[in-house]
Amino acid sequence: MIVSTPYALGNRAPARVEEPADAPRLAGTLAAAAESGSAVVIFGGSTLQSIGNAPQRYDVAISLRKLDRVLQYDPRELTIGLQAGITLEGVARALAQARQFIPFDAPLPRRATVGGTLAAGWAGPRRAAYGHLRDLLIGSTVALTDGSLVNAGGMVVKNVTGYDMSRLYVGSLGTLGAIVRANFKTLPRPPRQRLAIAPLADEIRERTLTALETLAIEPAAALVVDGFFERVPRLRDEDARLLVLFEGSGAVIDRATRELRSALGKCGIAETLLFDETAAADVLQNTIDAYIEPLEDRSVTYRSTGLPQTVWQRALAVCGIASDCDARFDFIADIRTGDAIVRVAGTSGARTAALLGELDAGVRAAVPGLTVLAGDPALRAQIDAWGTPPSTMETLRAIKTRFDPTASLAPGRYVGGL
Amino acid sequence: MASTFQRRLIDALGTDVARIEPADLAAYGYDAYKEDGNASAAIVPRDVREVATAVRIARECDEPVIPRGAGTGLCGGAVPVKGGLVISFARMNRLLALDVRNRRARVQPGLINLELSSAIARYGVFYAPDPSSQKISTIGGNVGTNAGGPHCLSYGTTTNHVLGLQYVDAAGRIHTTALDDVGYDVTGLLVGSEGTLGLITEIEVRLMRLPEAVRVYVAAFADVESASEAVSAIIGAGIVPVALEIMDKLITQAVEAHYHAGFPADAGAVLLVETAGPLDDMDDAERIIAGIAREHGALSWRAARDAAERAALWAARKGAAGAIGRIAPNYYIQDACVPRTKLPAVMKAVEGIARHYQLPVGNVFHAGDGNLHPLMIFDRREPRQVQAVIDAGNEILQTCIDMGGTISGEHGIGYEKRKTLSLVFSVADLAAMARVRDVFDPMRALNPDKIFPTGAVCGEVKASTAA
Ligand SMILES: Cc1cc2nc3c(=O)[nH]c(=O)nc-3n(C[C@H](O)[C@H](O)[C@H](O)COP(=O)(O)OP(=O)(O)OC[C@H]3O[C@@H](n4cnc5c(N)ncnc54)[C@H](O)[C@@H]3O)c2cc1C
């Protein structure tokens, strides 16, 4: 049975939802839960709870909804201190006045929170240009299950004082503690943004992508989207569209556009649609939203990270196996970062359920390191989100045991059943 | 007579790899901060298996293990303060693989930083972290301390450029870890862990494409404070050049005397600015940055003519500590970091502290990052001067903390600041780090007495803070 309340995960709903008003209370709630043997799941905006397995036990949901403030922001510092429950849109708004930004590039920024985005280890398409979020994270406060609130880093941009603990919590999916505060470097916002979309036929793909590598002005992001028509409009009758984002001064954008058009023209692509400023940002955001967008109740979305040069091979391997299993697919290949996102779906939920076992085994054998990013909860419950544990599993387990000895934080959600 | 430990090392690895003679061991007892280490043995392994073998022997003989790069560290990190086995990575110094299209390279830890960028420049790529010591320090040591450098202002420090690692753990087992792996970020924990979590035997680094255009400028100011104000204002205006470095008069004169790079030796302070990126932006960037510099009292502003002059200016800047070494009996470099609006205030405070202790102080630092390096000149034969340097250093650190800063921006904690760490972190904060240490090195056999005071369980940390 799949339970559906905002806090339900898999077939479990919590007995209690807590919304602590400050960090000490949050830490207290965590400690009390751990003490009493309850299992806890920490909630931000619930946009990326689909990453990882549903918890094996689940008693208390802790929402960070009330911890939604900007704690420290002097634009002249190019740093900001945030409570973890603030939404990405809230951060963007705070930074906009000073023409600064943090490239979260995560889905559903009106709901998604800073803490959740970090805990999910979200890695967006512009990280090739601006770095991963963990590279901009300069400090953190985390509540641990013993009730302590621990700080790491600070508000300075360079800091070598003991272990870089903040990075431990990035991508830990709330299995080690609850991030309550995050400090970031902010970036000056490039004056202009332009996103070019062009149809990309299979026959010219390789040539085109090679040509992109030699552009004098490197794109801030470059993606190929195949399908996902509900989010990224179709061009001509081609399924695949090339999206190239440039950010910088007017002069740079104009030159980049000229060079891009000429490079694409040589590959036989005559038409390029251009979107500027907020229109460009909207297309990018829509594309990012597609990463986790389910297709009704009948899809599962996989994510694979790896070398940019192998992104096609990985994406096509998954798509090929999906086809063999009679499933349809949509995919995004990020040619700058190497991320491949593939959504697979049967003709109905029941149909996907029937073919998923074979499909999952096939794609995992073909593409090591594949993880499940999103999809229908009932379908996700059928498969393991992580696949084969990494060679460092023993170390991961030891870390988990040290930070959460009673396994009270989302037990079973993480890699290797942690 | 050789100890059992020494004999076992020789038996397993031979005399070419294992060193036990006191004369040989002297070469592994120092770094750029501390010189009185005392290794029980040292090895200079050729590959990871030899590292693993030696670590197992050390463990069985209950000897600690201390990894060593080039020994240029400035906080005693590579010094064997409790005896033990020093593992020098000097021979594991190869570039193992270069993948230009995917912008990455795999290197051994002993590879000298600058040698990597020199070897790959012809492919149009570079490795961004560039500590001033890059001609001599190793990438393994840089990973050990999460080294910074002038160009880290816009490119980020070492940790932002490490994609994966191979390491040997405290039990002598070999592991690999990469950012693309699922699971907790073991890679990120190891970077900057100063040899206390594992011995890094291979590093996968991120490379960047060489920028289309590079410009370097030199501005003269009446004093460090006004130069610092200019830096705060540039950052405050939302402009992040590739590098923003300040040298004061004492440093500039020492540097000019040796390098003749063309810095204005009569200026109270010099600001060195680098911008890089598409050619189209270069003129605008200069106009804006030069404008802010002038508003804050720049007396002159000059662009380097060509690549040769740019290189000469950077070589001189990066050789500053060496240049001081030629004119001063001894010097001590402090490393601390403050929020960038606090830069003028902290520089003023440093001047006051130096005056109070009657110590000549030079400043050469990564101003754009708020990362200061007051360099105090003294004579180590004068105990009172030595004490003054220690007291002044502590006062500077406390001043930085009071301003919302921290006690190390890039040199690390090592042996030097292990007792100071509790000034910035609570017992609970340190206990969280200890949990990580427990995972990797429960016996505290890897680089003991570094980062944390001995037996840094909660109570003792508290006691040492109170004392
Ligand atoms: C003139 C001068 C200028 C400097 N400029 C800068 C600067 O601009 N920025 C900066 O950040 N630093 C600077 N430094 C400090 C120093 O160069 C850096 O800390 C550098 O990273 C040390 O590298 P190394 O190879 O000498 O390492 P070492 O000093 O030998 O070791 C440094 C630390 O890393 C550990 N370590 C070494 N190798 C390994 C390994 N393979 N695995 C695990 N741990 C290991 C050691 O145990 C030690 O704790 C400067 C030093 C000098 C003398």
Side-chain angles (χ1 to χ4, degrees), chain A residues 43-396:
Chain A
F43 272 79
S46 202
T47 56
L48 298 172
Q49 286 287 13
S50 56
I51 301 178
N53 297 315
Q56 282 154 4
R57 295 181 290 119
Y58 182 17
D59 307 299
V60 186
I62 301 183
S63 163
L64 270 79
R65 213 173 56 87
K66 291 189 179 157
L67 298 175
D68 64 349
R69 281 180 306 128
V70 174
L71 293 172
Q72 205 173 334
Y73 180 44
D74 177 346
R76 296 171 307 158
E77 293 289 359
L78 287 178
T79 59
I80 191 166
L82 301 162
Q83 278 189 317
I86 189 170
T87 62
L88 305 186
E89 190 189 58
V91 182
R93 218 180 305 122
L95 295 173
Q97 292 157 11
R99 305 193 58 76
Q100 295 175 11
F101 79 117
I102 298 172
F104 288 108
D105 288 1
L108 309 179
R110 277 194 209 151
R111 271 174 54 203
T113 63
V114 163
T117 306
L118 286 173
W122 186 260
R126 286 187 295 175
R127 73 178 186 277
Y130 301 113
H132 192 285
L133 280 182
R134 64 178 162 244
D135 296 329
L136 299 173
L137 182 66
I138 54 173
S140 64
T141 307
V142 172
L144 301 180
T145 56
D146 64 359
S148 59
L149 280 169
V150 298
N151 294 309
M155 289 296 285
V156 291
V157 298
K158 278 169 85 182
N159 200 330
V160 185
T161 46
Y163 306 142
D164 196 350
M165 297 296 288
S166 301
R167 288 189 53 159
L168 180 59
Y169 311 113
V170 176
S172 68
L173 286 176
T175 62
L176 298 178
I179 302 171
V180 297
R181 174 180 177 148
N183 306 331
F184 289 95
K185 282 199 230 186
T186 66
L187 303 173
R189 203 168 67 197
R192 288 184 50 200
Q193 248 187 338
R194 174 171 287 167
L195 191 134
I197 306 191
L200 186 66
D202 273 356
E203 314 81 70
I204 58 165
R205 187 185 62 224
E206 215 171 301
R207 201 148 53 98
T208 309
L209 298 186
T210 309
L212 287 183
E213 281 176 49
T214 59
L215 290 177
I217 310 238
E218 294 201 287
L223 307 158
V224 177
V225 183
D226 188 307
F228 288 116
F229 297 115
E230 70 276 27
R231 288 280 171 196
V232 186
R234 187 192 284 271
L235 295 181
R236 281 209 246 128
D237 38 349
E238 232 56 77
D239 280 356
R241 294 83 92 205
L242 173 67
L243 274 62
V244 183
L245 176 74
F246 291 109
E247 299 188 328
S249 65
V252 166
I253 298 274
D254 290 343
R255 179 176 148 212
T257 315
R258 275 197 311 279
E259 286 175 356
L260 175 72
R261 281 199 153 135
S262 138
L264 295 182
K266 282 184 198 140
C267 300
I269 302 174
E271 114 197 59
T272 318
L273 273 178
L274 299 182
F275 297 83
D276 280 350
E277 318 313 334
T278 50
D282 288 347
V283 176
L284 180 68
Q285 187 60 55
N286 276 330
T287 310
I288 293 169
D289 289 351
Y291 283 47
I292 58 159
E293 175 109 329
L295 188 60
E296 295 146 17
D297 61 348
R298 55 192 174 104
S299 68
V300 166
T301 304
Y302 290 100
R303 174 190 194 116
S304 155
T305 54
L307 298 178
Q309 295 291 327
T310 64
V311 68
W312 277 102
Q313 194 189 321
R314 286 177 284 120
L316 294 186
V318 178
C319 297
I321 291 161
S323 292
D324 291 348
C325 294
D326 272 339
R328 57 158 290 175
F329 57 80
D330 306 76
F331 74 84
I332 297 168
D334 185 327
I335 53 188
R336 285 217 63 199
T337 67
D339 293 348
I341 307 295
V342 187
R343 184 177 71 182
V344 298
T347 47
S348 67
R351 188 61 207 123
T352 313
L355 60 80
L356 191 58
E358 189 192 341
L359 188 153
D360 188 65
V363 296
R364 288 189 188 279
V367 183
L370 208 66
T371 56
V372 176
L373 184 59
D376 182 72
L379 294 172
R380 283 192 284 112
Q382 257 180 269
I383 54 181
D384 181 63
W386 303 105
T388 322
S391 62
T392 46
M393 195 61 226
E394 196 189 322
T395 308
L396 305 186

Side-chain angles (χ1 to χ4, degrees), chain B residues 32 67-74 77-78 89 109 131-133 137-138 140-142 144-145 147-149 194-195 198-200 321 366 410-411 447:
Chain B
R68 178 180 181 85
T72 69
L74 289 164
F89 288 96
S132 302
S133 58
S137 68
T138 66
N142 297 165
T145 60
E194 303 189 43
L199 305 155
I200 293 156
H366 313 303
E410 59 176 19
H411 294 166
N447 218 359

Side-chain angles (χ1 to χ4, degrees), chain A residues 77 134-135 146 150-151 158 160 163 167 175 188 213 215-216 218 249 252 255 307-309 402 414, chain B residues 101-104 159-160 179 183-185 196 209 212 238 280-281 340-341 371 408 410 429 435 437:
Chain A
E77 293 289 359
R134 64 178 162 244
D135 296 329
D146 64 359
V150 298
N151 294 309
K158 278 169 85 182
V160 185
Y163 306 142
R167 288 189 53 159
T175 62
E213 281 176 49
L215 290 177
E218 294 201 287
S249 65
V252 166
R255 179 176 148 212
L307 298 178
Q309 295 291 327
R402 291 283 166 192
Y414 207 49
Chain B
R101 287 184 84 186
N102 288 304
R103 308 259 174 91
R104 41 179 80 196
T159 192
N160 304 145
L179 290 186
Y184 306 125
D185 186 1
T196 63
R209 187 151 93 175
E212 182 182 47
D280 319 60
D281 285 345
R340 296 176 279 196
T341 55
N371 186 189
S408 169
E410 59 176 19
D429 303 342
R435 294 180 204 225
R437 184 84 184 271

